[in-house]
Amino acid sequence: MPEKEFNLLDEPWILVMRPDGETEEVSLLEAFRRAPEWKGLAGELPAQDIAVLRLLLAILHAVFGRYDPEGNFVPLCAGADPPPTPADALKRWKALWDLGRFPMGILEKYLNRYRDRFWLFHPERPFYQVPGLLDREDKFGPFEASKLNGELAESDHKTRLFPQRAGSGKNVLRYSEAARWLLYVNAFSETFGKLEAKGKRQKNSPSLGVGWLGKLGLIAAVGDSLFETLMLNLVFLRDGGNELWGEEKPVWETEAVRTDERNEIAVPDNPSELLTLQSRRLLLKRENGAVVGYVLLSGDFFPKENAFAEQMTVWRNTAKKETDPPEYVPRRHDPSRQIWRDFPTLVAQSTGSHRPGIVSWLALLKAEELIPQTLFRFQTAGVSYGTMEAVIEDVFDDSISFNADLLTALGADWINRIIDEVDTSEKLVEHIGWLAQNLAKAEGDADGHAQRNAAREQAYFRLDAPFRRWLEAIDPNRDRMDDVSERWWTQAKRITRNLGKELVGQCGPQAFIGRSEITKSGEEIRHTAPQAYNLFLYATSSRDALKGGRKNDRQGKTGRRVRQA
């Protein structure tokens, strides 16, 4: 086999979606050249698409963070001469946006300069890999290609019931597939421990975290085409503020490949370095024109606390007291929660919160009237890990859309009102859960926790699509806030009350007769379906009742107290 094989600039490997809905593999250069034509990335997993998107963004930052669309060398980084201003960064972004396509002359010139760094197989600089890793004694693996493929990933003890591939076919990957999964594994690889040469785990080896993207609550803007998606996520000013980035340093521009394991680095001060972070040291193994496996070690990492160079994550404040200085860490998405329930985190605008950089960036673009979008769309993606984060259990994604003006000064009060309605929705769901729990107790269940959780899940499912439609339809320029809020309250109340009625209708005769429960204090409480339903109806009758409820109802103890003789 040739030493150099499969150059990512020319060989088709990026999966995109055509306007007709079909997918196609294209080269890196072709992805940029025809970006306005493609609807977006269309890889095997949403998380994989995010990994590929970040590579494309790193290239754009490396090029247009230095060159204007005409190809003139005018760096936008802090410390450049002449010193640029935030206004210069916005002006360059606007020039690219108005062009409607990427100027391929400067892109091709730059990428061809580093062509030798984009070979998937290369004796000295294989793309995103460490040469010679197969021969190192401290390697982790080798793994078969089935583990590299995120669609097929299996634990050591379980296999998928309905695998995408079977037999020998799952242990080989085409070069194009392997290139995509290479980015994914570098970004999301699970935690693992360092092994000795004989395959024994070292006693005092430190616990190694998951890949950088696996630590994040990923969020990306979505446009009507791949060009728009790339441009919307091309953040030329840190956090959409007035701070310029440092000098661009993508991984392919480094003089030497880093080979040391578990290497702590400073938080990158430029997007291209962060977007090409090598969380893992990897090397693909090929045979007969296909990838059959790989090995890996841990790679570069940095503290995640206040790592605000990362623009594509939501954050949470871990300070223990309000008087303590805020300390933010990425907040992972919960795969069991619809993203609209985390709306307050996405648009955080209160003291003690930190808005995702990409959201602040779009808010700036809209406030400066640089984009015509009336609707912003965001996609979230993530990976959930198993015990000790040693295995990937699931990959998930979600999306949310809302009026672009909600991120401007006009939308500030609207944001607070929407957050209130999210809270209202959650309170309604809580009361559905308590109703289900109390009905279960009336039928003889000891605690009713399973029924409570099932009812809550069903309530969120029924509220999901209506809330998304309600949120997307809000127009701060046209609507009255009170009218919009009342519309949602009426709809949400009807949905939850209908579900409550169904839950009561599903009860057997025993629930109406009821059941007595003796508390630890010796008090007798009687649970009946009619009483539980009446309390539910009262608690959901008005906003005031919803906020207050009844103490016993909130605690799941709606039964009638019986005086002991």
Side-chain angles (χ1 to χ4, degrees), residues 122-126 129-134 136 257 259 282-283:
H122 190 283
E124 298 173 356
R125 293 296 295 258
Q129 299 168 77
V130 177
L133 196 58
L134 285 167
R136 283 176 57 166
V257 177
T259 62
L282 289 145
L283 187 63

Side-chain angles (χ1 to χ4, degrees), residues 185-204:
V185 169
N186 175 65
F188 293 99
S189 176
E190 62 270 40
T191 295
F192 58 88
K194 181 178 178 181
L195 300 185
E196 293 179 338
K198 294 183 179 180
K200 296 182 179 179
R201 199 174 293 273
Q202 293 181 351
K203 293 182 179 180
N204 298 320

